[in-house]
Amino acid sequence: MRERLYILTLSLMFTASLAMAQRVESERVSIAIRSGANLQKFEERDSDGRIQKNHLLPGAHFGMDINIPVSSDFHFQTGFLIINKGSKGVGETKTTIRLSYLEMPLNLVYKKPWGSGYIMLGFGPYVARGFGGHVTTGSGAVEFSRDIKFTDPAKDDGLSWTPYFERMDVGANMFVGYMMSSGLFFQVNTQQGLVKINPTYNQYPGDRSSIKNMGFGVSLGYKF
C-alpha cells in the first residue's frame, strides 16, 4: 500500500512538471548528466529508541537531470539517479550495510548569474526505490556476507538470518553549486531520509527501532 502511494505521488508530480514545461519554449528545457562521490550513514535508533552510532560509508552516484524553466530565475529539476547508500557500524565486530537505489529528485532550483556562469541553489523531496544490497559482518580476516531482501514486513517473522529492508525511501535533499557558461557544473549535495527503511515486525508491537538514510556528496556534471 505504501509503495502504491509513493508511485501515485510520483506520477502526479511528474505530470505537474510536464504541465509546467508547456509554459516555456521547448528548446529551453535542458538535460544534464552528472556523477560523483558521496558519504552515507544511517540515522539509527534501537528497539528502545536509543540513538546508535554509525560511521560514514563511501559510495558513488550517477544519473541524468531534466531542467524545466519556470521563470527566468527558477526551474524545476527532476531526473533519475543511481546512488549507493548504507552505513558502517562501530565496535570490534563491524557490520557494513550497502544499499543501491534508483532515485528521482523533485527540486526547485534558483539560478543567479555570477561571473560568466550561474550560482545554483536547489531543494526539494526525493523518492527512491531499492534494487540491491548486501550486509557484511566480520572482524579481521573473517567476514560473512548476506544479500539484502526487500520485503513487506507483515510477511516476515523477524527470525531469519536474511537482512530485510523496506524497498521505498522518501526524503529531502538540498544542493549548492556553480555552472560555467560551457555547461560544466559542480555541486555539493546533502540528503536526509524522512521515512524509516527497516521493517516493522508485527510480533514486536513495542519496537521503537528506526533506520533512516542520511549523507552528503559532490557531483560533477555537464548540461547539454
Coordinates of all heavy atoms in Angstrom, one line a residue, residues 72-133:
S72 N 12.6 33.2 -15.2 CA 14.0 33.5 -15.6 C 15.0 33.1 -14.5 O 16.2 32.9 -14.8 CB 14.1 35.0 -15.9 OG 13.7 35.7 -14.8
D73 N 14.5 33.0 -13.3 CA 15.4 32.7 -12.1 C 15.2 31.3 -11.6 O 16.1 30.8 -10.8 CB 15.2 33.7 -11.0 CG 15.6 35.1 -11.4 OD1 16.5 35.3 -12.2 OD2 14.9 36.1 -10.9
F74 N 14.1 30.6 -11.8 CA 13.8 29.4 -11.2 C 13.5 28.3 -12.3 O 13.0 28.6 -13.4 CB 12.6 29.5 -10.3 CG 12.8 30.3 -9.1 CD1 12.5 31.6 -9.0 CD2 13.3 29.7 -7.9 CE1 12.7 32.4 -7.9 CE2 13.5 30.4 -6.8 CZ 13.2 31.8 -6.7
H75 N 13.9 27.1 -12.0 CA 13.5 26.0 -12.8 C 13.2 24.7 -11.9 O 13.7 24.6 -10.8 CB 14.4 25.6 -14.0 CG 15.8 25.2 -13.5 ND1 16.9 26.0 -13.5 CD2 16.2 24.0 -13.1 CE1 17.9 25.3 -13.1 NE2 17.6 24.1 -12.9
F76 N 12.3 23.9 -12.5 CA 12.0 22.6 -11.8 C 13.0 21.5 -12.3 O 13.2 21.4 -13.5 CB 10.6 22.2 -12.1 CG 10.2 20.9 -11.6 CD1 9.9 20.7 -10.2 CD2 10.1 19.8 -12.4 CE1 9.6 19.4 -9.7 CE2 9.7 18.5 -12.0 CZ 9.5 18.4 -10.6
Q77 N 13.5 20.8 -11.4 CA 14.5 19.8 -11.8 C 14.1 18.4 -11.3 O 13.7 18.2 -10.2 CB 15.9 20.1 -11.2 CG 17.0 19.1 -11.6 CD 18.3 19.3 -10.8 OE1 18.4 18.9 -9.7 NE2 19.2 20.1 -11.4
T78 N 14.0 17.4 -12.2 CA 13.8 16.1 -11.9 C 14.8 15.2 -12.7 O 15.8 15.7 -13.1 CB 12.3 15.7 -12.3 OG1 12.1 14.3 -11.9 CG2 12.1 15.8 -13.8
G79 N 14.6 13.9 -12.8 CA 15.6 13.1 -13.4 C 15.7 11.7 -12.7 O 14.8 11.3 -12.0
F80 N 16.8 11.0 -13.0 CA 17.0 9.7 -12.4 C 18.4 9.6 -11.9 O 19.3 10.0 -12.6 CB 16.6 8.6 -13.4 CG 15.2 8.6 -13.8 CD1 14.8 9.3 -15.0 CD2 14.2 8.0 -13.0 CE1 13.4 9.3 -15.3 CE2 12.9 8.1 -13.4 CZ 12.5 8.7 -14.5
L81 N 18.6 9.0 -10.8 CA 19.9 8.9 -10.2 C 20.1 7.5 -9.6 O 19.2 7.0 -8.9 CB 20.1 9.9 -9.1 CG 21.5 10.2 -8.6 CD1 22.3 10.9 -9.7 CD2 21.5 11.1 -7.3
I82 N 21.2 6.8 -10.0 CA 21.6 5.5 -9.3 C 22.6 5.9 -8.2 O 23.6 6.5 -8.5 CB 22.1 4.5 -10.3 CG1 21.1 4.1 -11.3 CG2 22.7 3.3 -9.6 CD1 21.6 3.2 -12.4
I83 N 22.3 5.6 -7.0 CA 23.1 6.0 -5.9 C 23.3 4.9 -4.8 O 22.3 4.1 -4.6 CB 22.4 7.2 -5.2 CG1 23.3 7.8 -4.0 CG2 21.0 6.9 -4.7 CD1 22.8 9.1 -3.5
N84 N 24.5 4.8 -4.3 CA 24.8 3.9 -3.2 C 24.6 4.5 -1.9 O 25.1 5.6 -1.7 CB 26.2 3.4 -3.4 CG 26.5 2.8 -4.7 OD1 27.5 3.1 -5.3 ND2 25.7 1.8 -5.1
K85 N 23.9 3.8 -1.0 CA 23.7 4.3 0.4 C 24.1 3.2 1.4 O 24.4 2.1 1.0 CB 22.3 4.8 0.6 CG 21.9 6.0 -0.3 CD 20.5 6.5 0.0 CE 20.1 7.6 -0.9 NZ 18.8 8.3 -0.6
G86 N 24.0 3.5 2.6 CA 24.3 2.5 3.6 C 25.0 3.1 4.8 O 24.9 4.3 5.1
S87 N 25.7 2.2 5.6 CA 26.3 2.6 6.8 C 27.3 1.6 7.3 O 27.3 0.4 6.9 CB 25.2 2.8 7.9 OG 25.7 3.5 9.0
K88 N 28.3 2.1 8.1 CA 29.3 1.2 8.7 C 29.2 1.3 10.2 O 29.2 2.3 10.8 CB 30.7 1.6 8.2 CG 31.8 0.7 8.7 CD 33.2 1.3 8.2 CE 33.3 1.2 6.7 NZ 34.7 1.6 6.3
G89 N 29.0 0.1 10.8 CA 28.8 0.1 12.3 C 30.1 0.3 13.0 O 31.2 0.3 12.5
V90 N 30.0 0.4 14.3 CA 31.1 0.6 15.2 C 31.3 -0.7 16.1 O 30.4 -1.5 16.1 CB 30.9 1.8 16.1 CG1 30.8 3.1 15.3 CG2 29.7 1.7 17.0
G91 N 32.4 -0.8 16.7 CA 32.7 -1.9 17.6 C 33.7 -2.9 16.9 O 34.1 -2.7 15.8
E92 N 34.1 -3.9 17.7 CA 35.1 -4.9 17.2 C 34.5 -5.7 16.1 O 35.2 -6.0 15.1 CB 35.5 -5.8 18.4 CG 36.2 -5.1 19.5 CD 36.6 -6.1 20.6 OE1 36.4 -7.3 20.4 OE2 37.2 -5.6 21.6
T93 N 33.3 -6.2 16.1 CA 32.7 -6.9 15.0 C 31.9 -5.9 14.2 O 30.8 -5.5 14.6 CB 31.8 -8.0 15.6 OG1 32.5 -8.9 16.4 CG2 31.2 -8.8 14.4
K94 N 32.5 -5.5 13.1 CA 31.8 -4.4 12.3 C 30.8 -5.0 11.3 O 31.1 -6.0 10.7 CB 32.9 -3.6 11.6 CG 33.8 -2.8 12.5 CD 34.8 -2.0 11.8 CE 35.6 -1.1 12.7 NZ 36.3 -1.8 13.7
T95 N 29.7 -4.2 11.2 CA 28.7 -4.6 10.2 C 28.6 -3.5 9.2 O 28.3 -2.3 9.6 CB 27.3 -4.8 10.9 OG1 27.4 -5.9 11.8 CG2 26.3 -5.1 9.9
T96 N 28.8 -3.8 8.0 CA 28.7 -2.8 6.9 C 27.5 -3.1 6.0 O 27.3 -4.3 5.5 CB 30.0 -2.8 6.0 OG1 31.1 -2.4 6.8 CG2 29.8 -1.8 4.9
I97 N 26.6 -2.2 5.8 CA 25.4 -2.3 5.1 C 25.5 -1.4 3.8 O 25.7 -0.2 3.9 CB 24.1 -2.0 5.9 CG1 24.1 -2.9 7.1 CG2 22.9 -2.2 5.0 CD1 22.9 -2.5 8.1
R98 N 25.3 -2.0 2.7 CA 25.3 -1.3 1.4 C 24.0 -1.5 0.7 O 23.6 -2.6 0.5 CB 26.5 -1.7 0.5 CG 27.9 -1.5 1.1 CD 29.0 -2.0 0.2 NE 30.3 -1.9 0.9 CZ 31.0 -0.8 0.9 NH1 30.6 0.3 0.3 NH2 32.2 -0.8 1.5
L99 N 23.4 -0.4 0.3 CA 22.1 -0.4 -0.4 C 22.2 0.4 -1.7 O 22.9 1.4 -1.8 CB 21.0 0.3 0.4 CG 20.7 -0.5 1.7 CD1 19.9 0.5 2.7 CD2 19.8 -1.7 1.5
S100 N 21.6 -0.1 -2.8 CA 21.6 0.6 -4.1 C 20.2 1.0 -4.4 O 19.2 0.2 -4.2 CB 22.1 -0.3 -5.2 OG 23.5 -0.7 -4.9
Y101 N 20.0 2.3 -4.8 CA 18.7 2.8 -5.1 C 18.7 3.5 -6.5 O 19.7 4.0 -7.0 CB 18.4 4.0 -4.1 CG 18.1 3.5 -2.7 CD1 19.1 3.4 -1.7 CD2 16.8 3.2 -2.3 CE1 18.8 3.0 -0.4 CE2 16.5 2.8 -1.0 CZ 17.5 2.7 -0.1 OH 17.2 2.3 1.2
L102 N 17.5 3.4 -7.1 CA 17.1 4.3 -8.2 C 16.3 5.4 -7.7 O 15.2 5.2 -7.1 CB 16.3 3.5 -9.3 CG 15.9 4.3 -10.5 CD1 17.0 4.9 -11.3 CD2 15.0 3.5 -11.4
E103 N 16.9 6.6 -7.8 CA 16.3 7.8 -7.1 C 15.8 8.8 -8.1 O 16.4 9.1 -9.1 CB 17.4 8.4 -6.1 CG 16.9 9.5 -5.3 CD 18.0 9.9 -4.3 OE1 18.2 9.1 -3.3 OE2 18.6 11.0 -4.4
M104 N 14.7 9.5 -7.7 CA 14.1 10.6 -8.5 C 14.0 11.8 -7.7 O 13.2 11.9 -6.8 CB 12.8 10.2 -9.1 CG 12.2 11.2 -10.0 SD 10.6 10.6 -10.7 CE 10.3 12.0 -11.9
P105 N 14.8 12.8 -7.9 CA 14.7 14.1 -7.2 C 13.6 15.0 -7.8 O 13.3 14.8 -9.0 CB 16.0 14.8 -7.4 CG 16.5 14.2 -8.7 CD 16.0 12.8 -8.8
L106 N 13.0 15.8 -7.0 CA 11.9 16.7 -7.4 C 12.3 18.1 -6.8 O 11.7 18.5 -5.8 CB 10.6 16.2 -7.0 CG 10.2 14.9 -7.5 CD1 9.1 14.2 -6.7 CD2 9.7 15.0 -9.0
N107 N 13.2 18.8 -7.5 CA 13.8 20.0 -6.9 C 13.3 21.3 -7.5 O 13.0 21.3 -8.7 CB 15.3 20.0 -7.0 CG 15.9 18.9 -6.1 OD1 15.4 18.6 -5.1 ND2 17.0 18.3 -6.6
L108 N 13.2 22.4 -6.7 CA 13.1 23.7 -7.2 C 14.5 24.3 -7.2 O 15.1 24.3 -6.1 CB 12.1 24.5 -6.4 CG 11.8 26.0 -6.9 CD1 11.2 26.0 -8.2 CD2 11.0 26.7 -5.8
V109 N 15.0 24.9 -8.3 CA 16.3 25.4 -8.4 C 16.3 26.8 -8.7 O 15.7 27.3 -9.6 CB 17.1 24.6 -9.4 CG1 18.6 25.1 -9.4 CG2 17.1 23.1 -9.1
Y110 N 17.1 27.6 -7.9 CA 17.3 29.0 -8.1 C 18.6 29.3 -8.8 O 19.6 28.7 -8.3 CB 17.2 29.8 -6.8 CG 17.5 31.3 -6.9 CD1 16.7 32.2 -7.6 CD2 18.7 31.8 -6.3 CE1 17.0 33.5 -7.7 CE2 19.0 33.1 -6.4 CZ 18.1 34.0 -7.1 OH 18.5 35.3 -7.2
K111 N 18.7 30.1 -9.8 CA 19.9 30.3 -10.5 C 20.2 31.9 -10.5 O 19.3 32.6 -10.9 CB 19.8 29.9 -12.0 CG 19.7 28.4 -12.1 CD 19.5 28.0 -13.6 CE 20.6 28.5 -14.5 NZ 20.3 28.1 -15.9
K112 N 21.4 32.2 -10.1 CA 21.7 33.6 -10.0 C 23.0 33.8 -10.8 O 24.0 33.2 -10.6 CB 22.0 34.1 -8.6 CG 22.4 35.5 -8.4 CD 22.5 35.9 -7.0 CE 23.0 37.4 -6.8 NZ 22.0 38.3 -7.4
P113 N 23.0 34.8 -11.8 CA 24.2 35.0 -12.6 C 25.4 35.4 -11.7 O 25.2 36.3 -10.8 CB 23.8 36.1 -13.5 CG 22.3 36.0 -13.6 CD 21.9 35.6 -12.3
W114 N 26.6 34.9 -11.9 CA 27.8 35.3 -11.2 C 29.0 35.0 -12.1 O 29.2 33.9 -12.5 CB 27.9 34.5 -9.9 CG 28.9 35.0 -9.0 CD1 28.8 36.1 -8.2 CD2 30.2 34.4 -8.7 NE1 30.0 36.3 -7.5 CE2 30.8 35.2 -7.7 CE3 30.8 33.2 -9.1 CZ2 32.1 34.9 -7.2 CZ3 32.0 32.9 -8.6 CH2 32.7 33.8 -7.6
G115 N 29.7 36.0 -12.4 CA 30.8 35.9 -13.4 C 30.2 35.5 -14.8 O 29.3 36.1 -15.2
S116 N 30.8 34.5 -15.4 CA 30.4 34.1 -16.7 C 29.4 32.9 -16.6 O 29.0 32.4 -17.6 CB 31.6 33.7 -17.5 OG 32.3 32.6 -16.9
G117 N 29.0 32.6 -15.4 CA 28.1 31.4 -15.2 C 27.0 31.7 -14.2 O 26.5 32.9 -14.1
Y118 N 26.6 30.7 -13.5 CA 25.5 30.8 -12.5 C 25.8 30.1 -11.2 O 26.4 29.0 -11.2 CB 24.2 30.2 -13.1 CG 23.6 30.8 -14.3 CD1 24.0 30.5 -15.6 CD2 22.7 31.8 -14.2 CE1 23.5 31.1 -16.7 CE2 22.1 32.5 -15.3 CZ 22.5 32.1 -16.6 OH 22.0 32.7 -17.7
I119 N 25.3 30.7 -10.1 CA 25.3 30.0 -8.9 C 23.9 29.3 -8.8 O 22.9 29.9 -9.1 CB 25.5 31.0 -7.7 CG1 26.9 31.6 -7.7 CG2 25.2 30.3 -6.4 CD1 27.1 32.6 -6.6
M120 N 23.9 28.1 -8.3 CA 22.7 27.3 -8.3 C 22.4 26.9 -6.8 O 23.3 26.5 -6.1 CB 22.8 26.0 -9.1 CG 23.1 26.3 -10.6 SD 23.1 24.7 -11.5 CE 24.5 23.9 -10.7
L121 N 21.1 27.0 -6.4 CA 20.7 26.6 -5.1 C 19.4 25.8 -5.3 O 18.4 26.3 -5.8 CB 20.4 27.8 -4.2 CG 19.9 27.4 -2.8 CD1 20.8 26.5 -2.0 CD2 19.5 28.7 -2.0
G122 N 19.4 24.5 -4.9 CA 18.2 23.7 -5.2 C 17.8 22.9 -3.9 O 18.6 22.6 -3.0
F123 N 16.5 22.7 -3.8 CA 16.0 21.9 -2.7 C 14.7 21.3 -3.1 O 14.0 21.8 -3.9 CB 15.8 22.8 -1.4 CG 14.9 24.0 -1.7 CD1 13.5 23.9 -1.4 CD2 15.4 25.2 -2.2 CE1 12.7 25.0 -1.6 CE2 14.5 26.3 -2.4 CZ 13.2 26.2 -2.1
G124 N 14.3 20.2 -2.4 CA 13.1 19.5 -2.6 C 13.1 18.1 -2.1 O 14.1 17.6 -1.6
P125 N 12.0 17.4 -2.4 CA 11.9 16.0 -2.0 C 12.6 15.0 -3.0 O 12.9 15.4 -4.1 CB 10.4 15.7 -1.9 CG 9.9 16.6 -2.9 CD 10.7 17.8 -2.9
Y126 N 12.8 13.8 -2.5 CA 13.2 12.7 -3.5 C 12.4 11.5 -3.1 O 11.9 11.3 -2.0 CB 14.7 12.5 -3.4 CG 15.2 11.8 -2.1 CD1 15.0 10.4 -2.0 CD2 15.8 12.5 -1.1 CE1 15.5 9.7 -0.8 CE2 16.2 11.8 0.1 CZ 16.0 10.5 0.2 OH 16.5 9.8 1.3
V127 N 12.2 10.6 -4.1 CA 11.6 9.3 -4.0 C 12.6 8.3 -4.5 O 13.1 8.5 -5.6 CB 10.3 9.2 -4.7 CG1 9.7 7.8 -4.5 CG2 9.3 10.3 -4.2
A128 N 12.9 7.2 -3.8 CA 13.9 6.2 -4.2 C 13.3 4.8 -4.1 O 12.5 4.5 -3.2 CB 15.2 6.4 -3.4
R129 N 13.8 3.9 -4.9 CA 13.4 2.5 -4.9 C 14.6 1.7 -4.8 O 15.5 1.7 -5.7 CB 12.5 2.2 -6.1 CG 12.1 0.7 -6.2 CD 11.3 0.5 -7.4 NE 10.9 -0.9 -7.6 CZ 9.9 -1.5 -7.1 NH1 9.0 -0.8 -6.3 NH2 9.6 -2.8 -7.3
G130 N 14.8 0.9 -3.8 CA 15.9 0.0 -3.6 C 15.9 -1.2 -4.6 O 14.8 -1.8 -4.9
F131 N 17.0 -1.5 -5.2 CA 17.1 -2.7 -6.1 C 18.2 -3.6 -5.8 O 18.4 -4.6 -6.5 CB 17.2 -2.2 -7.6 CG 18.5 -1.4 -7.9 CD1 19.6 -2.1 -8.3 CD2 18.5 -0.1 -7.8 CE1 20.8 -1.4 -8.6 CE2 19.7 0.6 -8.1 CZ 20.8 -0.1 -8.5
G132 N 19.0 -3.4 -4.7 CA 20.0 -4.4 -4.4 C 20.8 -3.9 -3.2 O 20.6 -2.8 -2.7
G133 N 21.6 -4.8 -2.7 CA 22.4 -4.5 -1.5 C 22.9 -5.8 -0.8 O 22.4 -6.9 -1.0

